[in-house]
Amino acid sequence: MAPYQLKQPIGPFALTRTLAWLRLCAIAGQSMAVMVCSWWMHIDIPTLSLLLGIDMLAVFAVFAAWRISQPWPVREWETVCHIVADTLVLSYLLYFTGGARNPFVTLLLVPIALGAAALSVRAVLAIAAIAAAAYSVLLCWYVPLPMNELMSIDHGFSLHVAGMGVNFVVTALLLGFFINRLATAVRVQQQEVQRVRERALRDEGIMAIATQAAGAAHELNTPLSTMRTLLPELRREHASDAALDEDLELLEGQVERCRTILREMVAFGKAQLSQEPERVKLRVFIHGCVERFQLLRPEAELELKVAPQLEPLVLRTPPGLRHALLNLLNNAVDASVLCDSHNVVLEVRRNEQWLEWIVRDRGPGFTAAGTTAAIGNSGKQSGLGIGLALAEATAERLAGELITTNTDSGAEMCLRLPLSTIAENPR
């Protein structure tokens, strides 16, 4: 069975993608700040030098957007390099606008806060060291902000306080929004880990059952062979007893049926090991499944719905698909019996690039709240309780899914499989 993979894990890639969005916000905010200070407040700042720095950040933003769109993974050192580039550009802009006296110097802390949520301790320490070095340089070397008439009243203190207020709002919004995105990615990862753990426990249980079944099949072969030898002799010895002869004939048929099941188990195991799918037309495959199901459950009233244009479709039926379908039909009959019915419906249809096997029953439905029911909560009182779990495991192995819903007349189980996986040259 293919290993499960976590979706959108928290780490360098998630942080690099967050930095890409944050970089766009920084470009817009810095451009607006330069225009306000230069054109509206008439502060004599080096506008061309500042715009040059913003342009460099914009070029790097284009490169970063291209990089995260590539298929190869983003390494931690790469993310650190992105943060270093952002820190250098920010330091460059602060150098021309008052250095460490600029209230926006605390923006150097934002990459540290974001990195702490996604990177290793060593990487966070490296980012913190770079930010500290940039701050130390800005303490000693910077271009002072020139004074205008508004700033000369209180030596720029009011402007500094206003800048601190704007910086506080900007920092709060940035940290709140982007750290929330990273925290959401952490929660998604935790939920995925929980699902993987549950699936692993389920698969371990299925593997244990399969191991026990293999051992039981091996042990049952001997007593079945003995009974198969003795029953014909008993029939010959008691040929005059019609009632006993009829019972012995029935037993002989049941023994032969058990032997057939054992042979199918062995054949299924060999097919599973070889991973060679069986190529057969959809019509033939469904006919074989229905025939087998009617032998297992002769009391069932099966209604088959198959679109005529699907019958010539050639399937690459992998090992386990037939058993998954039989499990769903068997569960449907058991559920219908709870409401004094034997009706089940099997519908096969194509939905774009999916082939859907839909099984409907006339039972009480699933007990889970809502329209979508949980796997295994069908309300059945009999059975081993693993039929739906086996079908779900088969669906996941074939890159599909098992969807269970309640209907007005019972329950519906939809086994959705991609045509690219199970069909021969789907069109």
Side-chain angles (χ1 to χ4, degrees), residues 233-415:
E233 296 180 0
L234 288 174
R235 289 185 64 189
R236 285 194 297 268
E237 292 178 3
H238 301 277
S240 58
D241 192 337
L244 181 58
D245 182 72
E246 184 178 345
D247 292 339
L248 291 174
E249 184 181 2
L250 177 61
L251 286 175
E252 192 174 355
Q254 294 298 317
V255 168
E256 192 61 35
R257 179 181 172 186
C258 291
R259 284 174 54 83
T260 301
I261 293 174
L262 289 179
R263 285 195 298 268
E264 289 182 354
M265 288 177 61
V266 173
F268 173 74
K270 291 180 179 178
Q272 187 74 23
L273 290 174
S274 65
Q275 294 296 319
E276 285 294 330
E278 176 188 3
R279 286 170 172 80
V280 63
K281 288 187 177 181
L282 177 66
R283 174 178 52 81
V284 177
F285 176 77
I286 294 177
H287 176 74
C289 290
V290 170
E291 188 178 56
R292 175 69 184 277
F293 174 68
Q294 289 175 341
L295 287 174
L296 293 174
R297 304 298 295 265
E299 76 281 6
E301 299 174 6
L302 177 63
E303 180 182 353
L304 184 61
K305 297 180 180 179
V306 184
Q309 61 269 24
L310 288 179
E311 292 185 354
L313 183 67
V314 179
L315 299 180
R316 297 195 305 267
T317 56
L321 178 58
R322 181 179 287 105
H323 289 78
L325 190 58
L326 290 174
N327 281 330
L328 294 180
L329 290 171
N330 195 48
N331 274 274
V333 174
D334 291 338
S336 296
V337 169
L338 296 177
C339 293
D340 299 324
S341 175
H342 294 90
N343 294 327
V344 292
V345 178
L346 172 61
E347 180 181 357
V348 184
R349 68 187 182 192
R350 179 173 181 172
N351 185 2
E352 295 180 352
Q353 295 304 312
W354 296 86
L355 189 63
E356 297 180 343
W357 311 77
I358 302 172
V359 178
R360 301 186 186 93
D361 61 50
R362 305 294 181 186
F366 291 90
T367 57
T371 58
T372 302
I375 297 293
N377 293 331
S378 59
K380 258 180 40 175
Q381 303 299 321
S382 60
L384 299 176
I386 63 172
L388 290 181
L390 290 172
E392 186 186 25
T394 300
E396 290 174 356
R397 187 171 64 251
L398 300 177
E401 57 183 345
L402 178 64
I403 304 173
T404 57
T405 55
N406 286 328
T407 63
D408 295 336
S409 58
E412 176 181 293
M413 292 165 286
C414 179
L415 180 62

Side-chain angles (χ1 to χ4, degrees), residues 6-10 117 182-198:
L6 296 180
K7 300 177 181 178
Q8 298 179 344
I10 186 70
L182 292 174
T184 301
V186 171
R187 288 193 294 270
V188 169
Q189 183 192 29
Q190 290 174 344
Q191 294 171 359
E192 188 68 18
V193 168
Q194 181 63 26
R195 284 194 292 267
V196 169
R197 185 179 294 113
E198 293 174 356

Side-chain angles (χ1 to χ4, degrees), residues 192-243:
E192 188 68 18
V193 168
Q194 181 63 26
R195 284 194 292 267
V196 169
R197 185 179 294 113
E198 293 174 356
R199 292 172 183 172
L201 291 174
R202 182 205 62 195
D203 292 345
E204 288 179 6
I206 293 174
M207 184 62 67
I209 294 172
T211 303
Q212 293 293 329
H218 179 72
E219 295 176 4
L220 285 173
N221 187 55
T222 300
L224 285 175
S225 298
T226 303
M227 286 187 285
R228 187 169 178 267
T229 303
L230 292 178
L231 284 172
E233 296 180 0
L234 288 174
R235 289 185 64 189
R236 285 194 297 268
E237 292 178 3
H238 301 277
S240 58
D241 192 337

